[in-house]
C-alpha cells in the first residue's frame, strides 16, 4: 500500500472526526442519577441516610417549577460557617436539586413530573455542575451536558392548564449563575438563605441548628440573633424592603454582584449592596440595548412602570428578560412585590 | 498484491463517499451544543456551510486555543430568528486564545457574539447582522468583546445593531481593522477601553460612524490611548433607532466621529465625508445631561489630537431630531454650513495654569486637516460665545504608541 494512500485515508479519518466531534458524556461523570445512590426511592426522591433535605427562605424563581434540595457532606467533614457568602464546603460535598411540576398543583396525589436533577459536586479542583434529565418513564435521570428544551403542561393552583417550553440549561449555563470571579460556587447554602425551620422526619427544627447537630456545620454562632436571615418573599410579616431585597438577592444578586458575571453593568442587586445608585436608583443602563424598554433608569423611585428593572422582569423575550437563564415566563407575584417596593420609594 | 491495491482503492473510495455524505449533512443543534460545551484545549469547532436555525445560544466557557470555524462568511450562517433561550447567539466566557472565523450570526434576540473575560479573542471574516429594516427590536451589539484583552477584529461586518455594530467595551489591547459597519446606531464603538487601534475600516450609513466613549459607573473605569486612522467614515445620517435609555440613543444622526470624555485619542488620515451634523464631535459627559454619581469618573475629553484628516460634506442642514437637533436649530444656527469639527468647550478648570491656559499635554489639538472648519459651541455658558477660532487648538500631541497584541488567536 502506498504511503500516500495511507495519508489520504488518515486525512479523511481526521476530517471526519474533526467535523463530527461528538462529545461523548465523559466517563469521569456517572451517566445516571441512580448510580450515585442518593435515594432509597429515586422516583419519589426519598433520600438515604446522610443526604439531608433543605430549602431556602426566598428561592430562585424558575418558571414555577418546584424544587427539592439535598446536601451530602462526606463523613467526618464539616462545612465552615460564615455570615455573608455561600459556605465553604469540604471536597466531596454534593448538592442535589430536583426540578419538578405537580401534574395538578391542587391534587398532589396525582403525582409529579420530574424534569431534571442538577448536581453540584465539589471536586479537588473546584465545583462542577452536572445536569441530569429525567426519562419519560420517570425511572431515572441521565447526564446531558448539552441541555434541552422540553414542552410541558400542568394544572396550576387556580385549576388553569399551564404550558411552556421548559429549558434545561447546558453545562455552561449552570456556570452562568454559579460563577464568582473565576470560580464556581454554590448559591443557596448561605446563612441568610438557610436560616429557617424545616420539617424533618424527626420534627421541625432550624436548618442551621440541625446541620450543626448532624455534625456537618462548624463554627455556628451560639447567638442566633447574629445570624442573618433573608425574608420569605411572600411573608407579609416582614418589611416590604426586606422582602423585595431578598427576592432580588436570590434572583438577581448571583450575577449582579461585584464578583458576578453581570458586573459589566455596574448594577449590583445582592443584599449586601447599600449604595442606592449601585442597586439601580436613577442609574442609567450601560449595555442594555433594547432591554431598556425606552426607559431611562433601572429604578425610578415611585414609578415602577418607568423602571427598567420592572420591564426586564415582565418581558419574556430572550433578548430582554432577566434573569437571562432559568425563566421563560414572568414571576407575576415577584413582579408585583418589586413594583410595590419601587412605588413606595421616595 | 493487485487485490490488495484494489481493496485499498475501494476503501478509499468508500471513505470519500462516506465523508462527503456525512459532511454534506449539517450537525444538529444538539451536536453543536455538545461541541461548544465539550470543547477541549486545541479543538476546532467546525461548522460546515449551510443555514442553521438555532433555538438556543451556543456557549463556550473556559475554552483554550479553540477555533470556531465556518466555511465562509456567507456560507456558514447561524440564524437565531426563532431563538427561545439565551441573550446572545454565540457566547464565549473565561477563555484564552479563541478565534472565531468565517461565519455569520444572524437575527439574535440580544447580542450576536458576546465574549467576556477572555484573553486573546480574534474575530476574522465574521458577520453579525440583523436582516430587514433597521429596527429598535434588533439586538444591541453585533461583535461584542467586553472585559477582554488582546482583541482582534479583522475583515468583519456588522449590520443593523440597535446599539453598536462592533463594540469593544472595558477591554485593553485592541485592533479593529479592515471591517465594515453599516445601518447600526453606532458603527464601531470603543468604550472604557485602553490601547486600541482602529484603522482601514469603513463605517457608512450608521447614526454615528466611529465612537470613542468613556462612561461612568463601570468596572473598567478608564479608557484611552485610542487611535483612529485611515478609516472611511461617510454618510452616517441614518435615523437613531436605539431604544431610549441607552447612551447611544443620544447620538445625533449625522455624526461621523464622536469622542466622549475620553483622554488620549489620536484621529488621523481618515476620510470623513457627508456626515451632516458633525464630522467630528468632541464632548464631555455633561452634554448627555445625565447625572454623575461615580466620584472616580473623569467627564472631560483631554489630549485629543486631530490631524491630517480629509473632511467634506454637502451643503445641507444638521439634524433637527432629538435634543441635539433642537440645539442645532435653536442655539447653534449653522444653517447649511455646519462646521466639520465641533467641540463643546466644557473644560476642567482645575487643569488651567495660573495664566488661565490649558496645559499643552491636555489640549484638544486640531491641525493640518483638509477643510478643517471648527466651532467651539461654548456649551458651558449656554452657547453664548460660539467661536470658530482655532488658535487655542493649533497644536499637536506626541503620537500615541500603536496597540500590540499578544495571544490574539491571530498567530
Amino acid at each position: 500500500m502506498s504511503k500516500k494512500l495511507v495519508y489520504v485515508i488518515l486525512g479523511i479519518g481526521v476530517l471526519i472526526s474533526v467535523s463530527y466531534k461528538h462529545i461523548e458524556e465523559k466517563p469521569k461523570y456517572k451517566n445516571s442519577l441512580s448510580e450515585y445512590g442518593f435515594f432509597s426511592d429515586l422516583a419519589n426522591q426519598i433520600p438515604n441516610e446522610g443526604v439531608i433535605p433543605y430549602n431556602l427562605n426566598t428561592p430562585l424563581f424558575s418558571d414555577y417549577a418546584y424544587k427539592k434540595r439535598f446536601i451530602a457532606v462526606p463523613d467526618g467533614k464539616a462545612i465552615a460557617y460564615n455570615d455573608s457568602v455561600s459556605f465553604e464546603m469540604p471536597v466531596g460535598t454534593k448538592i442535589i436539586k430536583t426540578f419538578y411540576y405537580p401534574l395538578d398543583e391542587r391534587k398532589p396525589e396525582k403525582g409529579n413530573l420530574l424534569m431534571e436533577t442538577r448536581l453540584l459536586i465539589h471536586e479537588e479542583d473546584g465545583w462542577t455542575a452536572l445536569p441530569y434529565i429525567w426519562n419519560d418513564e420517570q425511572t431515572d435521570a441521565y447526564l446531558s451536558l448539552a441541555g434541552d428544551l422540553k414542552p410541558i403542561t400542568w394544572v396550576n393552583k387556580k385549576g388553569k392548564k399551564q404550558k411552556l417550553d421548559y429549558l434545561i440549561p447546558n453545562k455552561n449555563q449552570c456556570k452562568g449563575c454559579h460563577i464568582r470571579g473565576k470560580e464556581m460556587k454554590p448559591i443557596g447554602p448561605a446563612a441568610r438563605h438557610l436560616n429557617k425551620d424545616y420539617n424533618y422526619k424527626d420534627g421541625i427544627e432550624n436548618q442551621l441548628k440541625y446541620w450543626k447537630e448532624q455534625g456537618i456545620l462548624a463554627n455556628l454562632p451560639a447567638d442566633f440573633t447574629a445570624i442573618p436571615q433573608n425574608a420569605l418573599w411572600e411573608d407579609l410579616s416582614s418589611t416590604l424592603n426586606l422582602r423585595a431585597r431578598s427576592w432580588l438577592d436570590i434572583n438577581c444578586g448571583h450575577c449582579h454582584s461585584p464578583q458576578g458575571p453581570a458586573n459589566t453593568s455596574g448594577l449590583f442587586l445582592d443584599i449586601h449592596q447599600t449604595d442606592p445608585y449601585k442597586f439601580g436608583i436613577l442609574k442609567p443602563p450601560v449595555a442594555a440595548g433594547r432591554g431598556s424598554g425606552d426607559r431611562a433608569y433601572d429604578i425610578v423611585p415611585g414609578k415602577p412602570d418607568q423602571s427598567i428593572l420592572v420591564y426586564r422582569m415582565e418581558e419574556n423575550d430572550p433578548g430582554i428578560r432577566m434573569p437571562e437563564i432559568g425563566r421563560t415566563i414572568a414571576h407575576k407575584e415577584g413582579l408585583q412585590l418589586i413594583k410595590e417596593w419601587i412605588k413606595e420609594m421616595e | 498484491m493487485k487485490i490488495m491495491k484494489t481493496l485499498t482503492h475501494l476503501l478509499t473510495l468508500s471513505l470519500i463517499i462516506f465523508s462527503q455524505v456525512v459532511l454534506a449533512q449539517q450537525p444538529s443543534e444538539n451536536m453543536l451544543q455538545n461541541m461548544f460545551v465539550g470543547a477541549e484545549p486545541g479543538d476546532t469547532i467546525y461548522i460546515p456551510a449551510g443555514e442553521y436555525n438555532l433555538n438556543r445560544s451556543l456557549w463556550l466557557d473556559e475554552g483554550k486555543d479553540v477555533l470556531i470555524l465556518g466555511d465562509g462568511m456567507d456560507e456558514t450562517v447561524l440564524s437565531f430568528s426563532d431563538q427561545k433561550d439565551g441573550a446572545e447567539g454565540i457566547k464565549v466566557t473565561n477563555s484564552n486564545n479563541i478565534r472565531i472565523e468565517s461565519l455569520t450570526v444572524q437575527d439574535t434576540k440580544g447580542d450576536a457574539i458576546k465574549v467576556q473575560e477572555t484573553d486573546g479573542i480574534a474575530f476574522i471574516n465574521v458577520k453579525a447582522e440583523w436582516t430587514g429594516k433597521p429596527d429598535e427590536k434588533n439586538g444591541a451589539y453585533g461583535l461584542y468583546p467586553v472585559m477582554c484583552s488582546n482583541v482582534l477584529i479583522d475583515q468583519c461586518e456588522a449590520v443593523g445593531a440597535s446599539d453598536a455594530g462592533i463594540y469593544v467595551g472595558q477591554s485593553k489591547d485592541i485592533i479593529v481593522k479592515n471591517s465594515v459597519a453599516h445601518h447600526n446606531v453606532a458603527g464601531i464603538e470603543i468604550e472604557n477601553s485602553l490601547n486600541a487601534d482602529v484603522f482601514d475600516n469603513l463605517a457608512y450609513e450608521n447614526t454615528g460612524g466611529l465612537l470613542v466613549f468613556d462612561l461612568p459607573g463601570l468596572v473598567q473605569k478608564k479608557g484611552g490611548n485610542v487611535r483612529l486612522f485611515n478609516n472611511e467614515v461617510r454618510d452616517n445620517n441614518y435615523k437613531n433607532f436605539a431604544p431610549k435609555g441607552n447612551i447611544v440613543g443620544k447620538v445625533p444622526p449625522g455624526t461621523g466621529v464622536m469622542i466622549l470624555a475620553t483622554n488620549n485619542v489620536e484621529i488621523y488620515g481618515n476620510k470623513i465625508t457627508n456626515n451632516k451634523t458633525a464630522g467630528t464631535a468632541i464632548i464631555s459627559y455633561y452634554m448627555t445631561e445625565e447625572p454623575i454619581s461615580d466620584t472616580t469618573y473623569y467627564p472631560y475629553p483631554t489630549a485629543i489630537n486631530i490631524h491630517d484628516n480629509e473632511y467634506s460634506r454637502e451643503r445641507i442642514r444638521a439634524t433637527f431630531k432629538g435634543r441635539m437637533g433642537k440645539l442645532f436649530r435653536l442655539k447653534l444656527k449653522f444653517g447649511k454650513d455646519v462646521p466639520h469639527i465641533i467641540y463643546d468647550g466644557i473644560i476642567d478648570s482645575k487643569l488651567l495654569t495660573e495664566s488661565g491656559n490649558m496645559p499643552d499635554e491636555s489640549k484638544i489639538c486640531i491641525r493640518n486637516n483638509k477643510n478643517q472648519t471648527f466651532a467651539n459651541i461654548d456649551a458651558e455658558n449656554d452657547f453664548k460665545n460660539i467661536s470658530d477660532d482655532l488658535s487655542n487648538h493649533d497644536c499637536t500631541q506626541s503620537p500615541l504608541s500603536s496597540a500590540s497584541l499578544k495571544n490574539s488567536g491571530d498567530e
Side-chain angles (χ1 to χ4, degrees), chain A residues 1 5 19 21 146 170 172-173 175 261 263-264 285 289-290 292 294 321, chain B residues 8 23 43 56 59 61-62 84-85 109 116 137-138 219 243-246:
Chain A
M1 194 161 27
L5 213 50
S19 52
K21 186 163 180 292
N170 67 38
N172 291 344
Q173 286 178 309
K175 222 174 133 180
N263 64 356
T264 50
R290 68 201 181 95
S292 74
D294 279 348
R321 71 183 177 221
Chain B
T8 324
L23 287 177
D43 271 2
R56 295 180 279 148
W59 190 342
D61 181 60
E62 288 195 6
K84 295 205 170 86
D85 173 53
K109 301 288 183 198
Q116 191 171 342
K137 291 199 165 57
N138 291 353
V219 177
K244 253 180 252 156
N246 292 286

mmCIF file of all heavy atoms in Angstrom, chain A residues 1 5 19 21 146 170 172-173 175 261 263-264 285 289-290 292 294 321, chain B residues 8 23 43 56 59 61-62 84-85 109 116 137-138 219 243-246:
data_model
loop_
_atom_site.group_PDB
_atom_site.id
_atom_site.type_symbol
_atom_site.label_atom_id
_atom_site.label_comp_id
_atom_site.label_asym_id
_atom_site.label_seq_id
_atom_site.Cartn_x
_atom_site.Cartn_y
_atom_site.Cartn_z
ATOM 1 N N MET A 1 0.857 -1.184 0.000
ATOM 2 C CA MET A 1 0.000 0.000 0.000
ATOM 3 C C MET A 1 0.906 1.251 0.000
ATOM 4 O O MET A 1 1.834 1.337 0.790
ATOM 5 C CB MET A 1 -0.870 -0.011 1.255
ATOM 6 C CG MET A 1 -1.971 0.966 1.144
ATOM 7 S SD MET A 1 -3.380 0.758 2.245
ATOM 8 C CE MET A 1 -2.816 -0.040 3.667
ATOM 9 N N LEU A 5 -1.424 6.839 0.008
ATOM 10 C CA LEU A 5 -2.784 6.379 0.226
ATOM 11 C C LEU A 5 -3.112 6.357 1.719
ATOM 12 O O LEU A 5 -4.192 6.751 2.154
ATOM 13 C CB LEU A 5 -2.911 4.970 -0.372
ATOM 14 C CG LEU A 5 -4.273 4.643 -0.949
ATOM 15 C CD1 LEU A 5 -4.725 5.742 -1.893
ATOM 16 C CD2 LEU A 5 -4.169 3.323 -1.704
ATOM 17 N N SER A 19 -14.828 17.113 12.045
ATOM 18 C CA SER A 19 -16.102 17.753 11.740
ATOM 19 C C SER A 19 -17.231 17.118 12.533
ATOM 20 O O SER A 19 -18.260 17.715 12.747
ATOM 21 C CB SER A 19 -16.379 17.661 10.244
ATOM 22 O OG SER A 19 -16.261 16.335 9.828
ATOM 23 N N LYS A 21 -17.001 15.815 15.675
ATOM 24 C CA LYS A 21 -16.558 15.562 17.029
ATOM 25 C C LYS A 21 -17.762 15.645 17.961
ATOM 26 O O LYS A 21 -18.213 16.703 18.350
ATOM 27 C CB LYS A 21 -15.516 16.607 17.425
ATOM 28 C CG LYS A 21 -14.907 16.316 18.746
ATOM 29 C CD LYS A 21 -13.631 17.107 18.900
ATOM 30 C CE LYS A 21 -13.014 16.809 20.241
ATOM 31 N NZ LYS A 21 -13.801 17.312 21.336
ATOM 32 N N ALA A 146 -25.475 19.000 27.083
ATOM 33 C CA ALA A 146 -25.994 19.966 26.109
ATOM 34 C C ALA A 146 -27.291 20.620 26.541
ATOM 35 O O ALA A 146 -27.737 21.584 25.925
ATOM 36 C CB ALA A 146 -26.192 19.286 24.763
ATOM 37 N N ASN A 170 -27.594 24.008 29.609
ATOM 38 C CA ASN A 170 -26.412 23.203 29.329
ATOM 39 C C ASN A 170 -25.386 23.449 30.434
ATOM 40 O O ASN A 170 -25.570 24.312 31.293
ATOM 41 C CB ASN A 170 -25.869 23.467 27.923
ATOM 42 C CG ASN A 170 -25.305 24.871 27.748
ATOM 43 O OD1 ASN A 170 -24.680 25.416 28.653
ATOM 44 N ND2 ASN A 170 -25.528 25.454 26.588
ATOM 45 N N ASN A 172 -22.572 24.864 30.606
ATOM 46 C CA ASN A 172 -22.015 26.208 30.745
ATOM 47 C C ASN A 172 -23.013 27.195 31.318
ATOM 48 O O ASN A 172 -22.650 28.121 32.036
ATOM 49 C CB ASN A 172 -21.518 26.725 29.402
ATOM 50 C CG ASN A 172 -20.307 25.960 28.942
ATOM 51 O OD1 ASN A 172 -19.668 25.258 29.727
ATOM 52 N ND2 ASN A 172 -19.990 26.078 27.668
ATOM 53 N N GLN A 173 -24.280 26.987 30.985
ATOM 54 C CA GLN A 173 -25.300 27.878 31.545
ATOM 55 C C GLN A 173 -25.379 27.730 33.057
ATOM 56 O O GLN A 173 -25.663 28.694 33.755
ATOM 57 C CB GLN A 173 -26.655 27.602 30.898
ATOM 58 C CG GLN A 173 -26.725 28.138 29.469
ATOM 59 C CD GLN A 173 -28.050 27.816 28.803
ATOM 60 O OE1 GLN A 173 -28.484 26.679 28.808
ATOM 61 N NE2 GLN A 173 -28.692 28.820 28.238
ATOM 62 N N LYS A 175 -22.966 27.445 34.932
ATOM 63 C CA LYS A 175 -21.922 28.334 35.400
ATOM 64 C C LYS A 175 -22.329 29.796 35.302
ATOM 65 O O LYS A 175 -21.879 30.622 36.089
ATOM 66 C CB LYS A 175 -20.678 28.085 34.558
ATOM 67 C CG LYS A 175 -19.441 28.076 35.385
ATOM 68 C CD LYS A 175 -18.283 27.683 34.538
ATOM 69 C CE LYS A 175 -17.163 28.645 34.798
ATOM 70 N NZ LYS A 175 -15.997 28.335 34.006
ATOM 71 N N PRO A 261 -20.977 37.627 36.942
ATOM 72 C CA PRO A 261 -20.772 37.934 35.520
ATOM 73 C C PRO A 261 -21.505 39.186 35.018
ATOM 74 O O PRO A 261 -21.114 39.745 34.004
ATOM 75 C CB PRO A 261 -21.285 36.692 34.788
ATOM 76 C CG PRO A 261 -21.885 35.807 35.801
ATOM 77 C CD PRO A 261 -21.530 36.289 37.156
ATOM 78 N N ASN A 263 -21.334 41.991 36.395
ATOM 79 C CA ASN A 263 -20.646 43.184 36.913
ATOM 80 C C ASN A 263 -20.321 44.174 35.795
ATOM 81 O O ASN A 263 -20.072 45.343 36.056
ATOM 82 C CB ASN A 263 -19.397 42.814 37.722
ATOM 83 C CG ASN A 263 -18.326 42.140 36.880
ATOM 84 O OD1 ASN A 263 -18.515 41.872 35.686
ATOM 85 N ND2 ASN A 263 -17.199 41.853 37.503
ATOM 86 N N THR A 264 -20.372 43.727 34.531
ATOM 87 C CA THR A 264 -20.186 44.649 33.399
ATOM 88 C C THR A 264 -21.207 45.784 33.422
ATOM 89 O O THR A 264 -20.974 46.830 32.854
ATOM 90 C CB THR A 264 -20.358 43.914 32.061
ATOM 91 O OG1 THR A 264 -21.576 43.171 32.103
ATOM 92 C CG2 THR A 264 -19.219 42.955 31.790
ATOM 93 N N PRO A 285 -28.737 52.682 32.187
ATOM 94 C CA PRO A 285 -28.188 51.386 31.787
ATOM 95 C C PRO A 285 -26.864 51.567 31.047
ATOM 96 O O PRO A 285 -26.580 52.649 30.547
ATOM 97 C CB PRO A 285 -29.245 50.826 30.852
ATOM 98 C CG PRO A 285 -29.920 52.023 30.285
ATOM 99 C CD PRO A 285 -29.882 53.077 31.358
ATOM 100 N N GLY A 289 -29.127 47.735 25.661
ATOM 101 C CA GLY A 289 -29.747 47.658 24.342
ATOM 102 C C GLY A 289 -31.244 47.835 24.458
ATOM 103 O O GLY A 289 -31.729 48.666 25.229
ATOM 104 N N ARG A 290 -31.990 46.987 23.726
ATOM 105 C CA ARG A 290 -33.431 47.139 23.774
ATOM 106 C C ARG A 290 -34.000 46.664 25.099
ATOM 107 O O ARG A 290 -35.182 46.824 25.365
ATOM 108 C CB ARG A 290 -34.080 46.424 22.590
ATOM 109 C CG ARG A 290 -33.967 44.940 22.635
ATOM 110 C CD ARG A 290 -34.153 44.338 21.259
ATOM 111 N NE ARG A 290 -34.058 42.899 21.345
ATOM 112 C CZ ARG A 290 -35.117 42.100 21.475
ATOM 113 N NH1 ARG A 290 -36.326 42.599 21.492
ATOM 114 N NH2 ARG A 290 -34.953 40.808 21.572
ATOM 115 N N SER A 292 -33.602 48.135 27.661
ATOM 116 C CA SER A 292 -34.005 49.325 28.410
ATOM 117 C C SER A 292 -35.501 49.592 28.259
ATOM 118 O O SER A 292 -36.094 50.273 29.093
ATOM 119 C CB SER A 292 -33.219 50.544 27.937
ATOM 120 O OG SER A 292 -33.703 50.969 26.664
ATOM 121 N N ASP A 294 -37.027 51.561 26.370
ATOM 122 C CA ASP A 294 -37.245 53.010 26.249
ATOM 123 C C ASP A 294 -37.372 53.706 27.600
ATOM 124 O O ASP A 294 -37.993 54.746 27.723
ATOM 125 C CB ASP A 294 -38.500 53.311 25.412
ATOM 126 C CG ASP A 294 -38.189 53.230 23.923
ATOM 127 O OD1 ASP A 294 -36.993 53.172 23.569
ATOM 128 O OD2 ASP A 294 -39.142 53.230 23.119
ATOM 129 N N ARG A 321 -35.445 39.623 28.692
ATOM 130 C CA ARG A 321 -35.805 39.139 30.021
ATOM 131 C C ARG A 321 -34.609 39.005 30.954
ATOM 132 O O ARG A 321 -33.491 38.758 30.532
ATOM 133 C CB ARG A 321 -36.520 37.796 29.907
ATOM 134 C CG ARG A 321 -35.603 36.664 29.499
ATOM 135 C CD ARG A 321 -36.383 35.373 29.340
ATOM 136 N NE ARG A 321 -35.529 34.298 28.885
ATOM 137 C CZ ARG A 321 -35.891 33.402 27.961
ATOM 138 N NH1 ARG A 321 -37.070 33.471 27.390
ATOM 139 N NH2 ARG A 321 -35.055 32.448 27.611
ATOM 140 N N THR B 8 -7.705 -1.476 -1.319
ATOM 141 C CA THR B 8 -7.366 -0.176 -0.742
ATOM 142 C C THR B 8 -8.087 0.949 -1.473
ATOM 143 O O THR B 8 -8.619 1.872 -0.855
ATOM 144 C CB THR B 8 -5.842 0.076 -0.815
ATOM 145 O OG1 THR B 8 -5.190 -1.145 -0.605
ATOM 146 C CG2 THR B 8 -5.429 1.100 0.193
ATOM 147 N N LEU B 23 -20.340 14.901 5.614
ATOM 148 C CA LEU B 23 -20.017 16.321 5.662
ATOM 149 C C LEU B 23 -21.107 17.180 5.049
ATOM 150 O O LEU B 23 -21.280 18.325 5.411
ATOM 151 C CB LEU B 23 -18.686 16.579 4.945
ATOM 152 C CG LEU B 23 -17.463 16.099 5.703
ATOM 153 C CD1 LEU B 23 -16.203 16.335 4.891
ATOM 154 C CD2 LEU B 23 -17.346 16.785 7.048
ATOM 155 N N ASP B 43 -9.063 22.373 20.354
ATOM 156 C CA ASP B 43 -10.121 21.878 19.454
ATOM 157 C C ASP B 43 -10.486 22.881 18.363
ATOM 158 O O ASP B 43 -10.375 24.087 18.547
ATOM 159 C CB ASP B 43 -11.400 21.595 20.249
ATOM 160 C CG ASP B 43 -11.425 20.177 20.788
ATOM 161 O OD1 ASP B 43 -10.433 19.465 20.568
ATOM 162 O OD2 ASP B 43 -12.422 19.810 21.429
ATOM 163 N N ARG B 56 -31.231 28.002 20.711
ATOM 164 C CA ARG B 56 -30.544 28.336 21.965
ATOM 165 C C ARG B 56 -29.147 28.873 21.683
ATOM 166 O O ARG B 56 -28.509 28.482 20.709
ATOM 167 C CB ARG B 56 -30.430 27.074 22.842
ATOM 168 C CG ARG B 56 -31.759 26.542 23.318
ATOM 169 C CD ARG B 56 -31.583 25.303 24.163
ATOM 170 N NE ARG B 56 -31.409 24.107 23.368
ATOM 171 C CZ ARG B 56 -30.678 23.062 23.739
ATOM 172 N NH1 ARG B 56 -30.030 23.080 24.878
ATOM 173 N NH2 ARG B 56 -30.573 22.012 22.968
ATOM 174 N N TRP B 59 -22.564 28.318 23.645
ATOM 175 C CA TRP B 59 -21.769 28.915 24.707
ATOM 176 C C TRP B 59 -20.481 28.131 24.918
ATOM 177 O O TRP B 59 -20.509 26.949 25.226
ATOM 178 C CB TRP B 59 -22.600 28.934 25.994
ATOM 179 C CG TRP B 59 -22.004 29.733 27.117
ATOM 180 C CD1 TRP B 59 -20.717 30.136 27.264
ATOM 181 C CD2 TRP B 59 -22.706 30.225 28.258
ATOM 182 N NE1 TRP B 59 -20.569 30.850 28.429
ATOM 183 C CE2 TRP B 59 -21.770 30.916 29.056
ATOM 184 C CE3 TRP B 59 -24.032 30.148 28.688
ATOM 185 C CZ2 TRP B 59 -22.131 31.522 30.259
ATOM 186 C CZ3 TRP B 59 -24.378 30.744 29.894
ATOM 187 C CH2 TRP B 59 -23.437 31.427 30.668
ATOM 188 N N ASP B 61 -17.236 28.025 27.305
ATOM 189 C CA ASP B 61 -16.726 28.549 28.565
ATOM 190 C C ASP B 61 -15.391 27.887 28.889
ATOM 191 O O ASP B 61 -15.205 26.697 28.650
ATOM 192 C CB ASP B 61 -17.726 28.262 29.690
ATOM 193 C CG ASP B 61 -17.249 28.820 31.012
ATOM 194 O OD1 ASP B 61 -17.049 30.050 31.087
ATOM 195 O OD2 ASP B 61 -17.059 28.036 31.957
ATOM 196 N N GLU B 62 -14.465 28.664 29.431
ATOM 197 C CA GLU B 62 -13.133 28.162 29.764
ATOM 198 C C GLU B 62 -12.477 27.437 28.601
ATOM 199 O O GLU B 62 -11.828 26.406 28.782
ATOM 200 C CB GLU B 62 -13.197 27.248 30.993
ATOM 201 C CG GLU B 62 -13.450 28.035 32.253
ATOM 202 C CD GLU B 62 -13.166 27.239 33.521
ATOM 203 O OE1 GLU B 62 -12.667 26.108 33.421
ATOM 204 O OE2 GLU B 62 -13.417 27.773 34.602
ATOM 205 N N LYS B 84 -35.222 30.817 21.399
ATOM 206 C CA LYS B 84 -36.080 30.707 22.579
ATOM 207 C C LYS B 84 -35.308 30.953 23.866
ATOM 208 O O LYS B 84 -35.880 31.226 24.904
ATOM 209 C CB LYS B 84 -36.693 29.308 22.653
ATOM 210 C CG LYS B 84 -37.648 29.011 21.510
ATOM 211 C CD LYS B 84 -38.645 27.942 21.933
ATOM 212 C CE LYS B 84 -39.764 27.760 20.939
ATOM 213 N NZ LYS B 84 -39.414 26.819 19.859
ATOM 214 N N ASP B 85 -34.003 30.795 23.790
ATOM 215 C CA ASP B 85 -33.247 30.893 25.027
ATOM 216 C C ASP B 85 -31.876 31.500 24.778
ATOM 217 O O ASP B 85 -31.260 31.276 23.748
ATOM 218 C CB ASP B 85 -33.064 29.493 25.627
ATOM 219 C CG ASP B 85 -32.144 29.523 26.827
ATOM 220 O OD1 ASP B 85 -32.417 30.324 27.734
ATOM 221 O OD2 ASP B 85 -31.140 28.798 26.849
ATOM 222 N N LYS B 109 -31.769 37.536 19.358
ATOM 223 C CA LYS B 109 -32.683 38.350 20.168
ATOM 224 C C LYS B 109 -31.918 39.400 20.965
ATOM 225 O O LYS B 109 -32.436 40.470 21.248
ATOM 226 C CB LYS B 109 -33.476 37.465 21.136
ATOM 227 C CG LYS B 109 -34.294 36.395 20.459
ATOM 228 C CD LYS B 109 -35.500 36.977 19.733
ATOM 229 C CE LYS B 109 -36.336 35.859 19.115
ATOM 230 N NZ LYS B 109 -37.247 36.368 18.079
ATOM 231 N N GLN B 116 -16.700 37.512 26.882
ATOM 232 C CA GLN B 116 -16.462 38.178 28.165
ATOM 233 C C GLN B 116 -15.310 37.524 28.903
ATOM 234 O O GLN B 116 -15.160 36.296 28.870
ATOM 235 C CB GLN B 116 -17.758 38.083 28.991
ATOM 236 C CG GLN B 116 -17.778 38.942 30.228
ATOM 237 C CD GLN B 116 -19.165 38.978 30.882
ATOM 238 O OE1 GLN B 116 -20.159 38.638 30.260
ATOM 239 N NE2 GLN B 116 -19.221 39.383 32.127
ATOM 240 N N LYS B 137 -36.031 46.818 17.693
ATOM 241 C CA LYS B 137 -36.171 45.482 18.268
ATOM 242 C C LYS B 137 -34.966 44.596 17.963
ATOM 243 O O LYS B 137 -34.852 43.487 18.467
ATOM 244 C CB LYS B 137 -37.444 44.813 17.764
ATOM 245 C CG LYS B 137 -38.692 45.465 18.310
ATOM 246 C CD LYS B 137 -39.904 44.540 18.190
ATOM 247 C CE LYS B 137 -41.066 45.010 19.031
ATOM 248 N NZ LYS B 137 -41.487 46.386 18.705
ATOM 249 N N ASN B 138 -34.063 45.078 17.115
ATOM 250 C CA ASN B 138 -32.824 44.327 16.874
ATOM 251 C C ASN B 138 -31.996 44.267 18.151
ATOM 252 O O ASN B 138 -32.124 45.119 19.021
ATOM 253 C CB ASN B 138 -31.995 44.990 15.773
ATOM 254 C CG ASN B 138 -32.662 44.863 14.410
ATOM 255 O OD1 ASN B 138 -33.678 44.178 14.255
ATOM 256 N ND2 ASN B 138 -32.090 45.518 13.424
ATOM 257 N N VAL B 219 -16.878 48.910 35.658
ATOM 258 C CA VAL B 219 -15.804 48.237 36.390
ATOM 259 C C VAL B 219 -14.450 48.708 35.860
ATOM 260 O O VAL B 219 -13.594 49.142 36.621
ATOM 261 C CB VAL B 219 -15.947 46.708 36.282
ATOM 262 C CG1 VAL B 219 -14.786 46.019 36.978
ATOM 263 C CG2 VAL B 219 -17.273 46.260 36.895
ATOM 264 N N PRO B 243 -33.175 51.996 21.376
ATOM 265 C CA PRO B 243 -34.196 52.183 22.406
ATOM 266 C C PRO B 243 -33.731 53.256 23.384
ATOM 267 O O PRO B 243 -32.535 53.371 23.663
ATOM 268 C CB PRO B 243 -34.251 50.822 23.100
ATOM 269 C CG PRO B 243 -33.553 49.868 22.196
ATOM 270 C CD PRO B 243 -32.580 50.657 21.410
ATOM 271 N N LYS B 244 -34.646 54.019 23.894
ATOM 272 C CA LYS B 244 -34.294 55.081 24.838
ATOM 273 C C LYS B 244 -33.568 54.505 26.052
ATOM 274 O O LYS B 244 -33.681 53.322 26.339
ATOM 275 C CB LYS B 244 -35.567 55.784 25.317
ATOM 276 C CG LYS B 244 -35.737 57.167 24.714
ATOM 277 C CD LYS B 244 -37.020 57.812 25.223
ATOM 278 C CE LYS B 244 -38.070 57.866 24.128
ATOM 279 N NZ LYS B 244 -39.437 57.926 24.631
ATOM 280 N N GLY B 245 -32.896 55.373 26.780
ATOM 281 C CA GLY B 245 -32.213 54.903 27.980
ATOM 282 C C GLY B 245 -30.774 54.530 27.673
ATOM 283 O O GLY B 245 -29.924 54.566 28.536
ATOM 284 N N ASN B 246 -30.489 54.172 26.433
ATOM 285 C CA ASN B 246 -29.120 53.820 26.071
ATOM 286 C C ASN B 246 -28.350 55.068 25.660
ATOM 287 O O ASN B 246 -28.884 55.931 24.972
ATOM 288 C CB ASN B 246 -29.131 52.831 24.911
ATOM 289 C CG ASN B 246 -29.704 51.495 25.347
ATOM 290 O OD1 ASN B 246 -29.049 50.734 26.044
ATOM 291 N ND2 ASN B 246 -30.940 51.238 24.975
#
